[in-house]
Amino acid sequence: MTASAFTPLASLVGGGLIALSAVMLMAFEGRIAGISGIASRLLPPYSDGAFAGRLAFVAGLVAAPLAYAGVTGSFPVQTIEAGWPLLVLAGLLVGFGSVWGNGCTSGHGICGLSRLSLRSLVAVLVFMTTAIATVFVTRHLL
């Protein structure tokens, strides 16, 4: 098991940028900044004229490591100790959970909780409990 780095400044700046993007999307578009919903509405059928905004939002997520590398001179270090089969399974389960729960961690955890949504509170409690149990089982019981 590897230790996690304590990065309070980077975490504060990153959290602030996430909050700013969520507030701006709500203020200017009246939309919740749920990443799974934004990404899923990039696929047809298109229900409104907001395709360019959604594409820009997702492109910003993809471009973030490039911007980081441009500022620091290196890409962020990511260490994943799982093989491809487990990562594919995890991705499918997260995608299924996002659809089944009508939202993801950003939609429920950031935007829903800040709006005092009971549904979001229940969703966050369920996925955080599941995440904690999964980490415990994989690190201590397997």
Side-chain angles (χ1 to χ4, degrees):
M1 180 170 69
T2 59
S4 297
F6 180 62
T7 58
L9 183 59
S11 300
L12 181 65
V13 170
L17 290 172
I18 290 169
L20 179 63
S21 68
V23 168
M24 288 177 61
L25 190 61
M26 179 59 80
F28 296 130
E29 299 291 329
R31 306 282 306 177
I32 298 292
I35 306 304
S36 61
I38 291 171
S40 69
R41 287 190 301 275
L42 284 173
L43 303 172
Y46 305 113
S47 59
D48 57 24
F51 179 82
R54 288 188 193 102
L55 186 60
F57 193 92
V58 172
L61 296 174
V62 174
L66 299 173
Y68 180 90
V71 171
T72 65
S74 64
F75 283 99
V77 177
Q78 294 291 318
T79 305
I80 300 174
E81 298 177 8
W84 284 104
L86 186 58
L87 291 176
V88 169
L89 176 63
L92 291 172
L93 289 172
V94 167
F96 174 76
S98 293
V99 171
W100 195 39
N102 290 320
C104 57
T105 54
S106 54
H108 285 300
I110 296 168
C111 299
L113 289 180
S114 66
R115 293 182 305 110
L116 304 177
S117 165
L118 180 60
R119 186 176 93 169
S120 290
L121 176 62
V122 171
V124 170
L125 290 173
V126 168
F127 64 66
M128 289 303 293
T129 302
T130 303
I132 291 166
T134 301
V135 170
F136 180 80
V137 167
T138 58
R139 289 194 177 176
H140 301 290
L141 301 179
L142 293 180

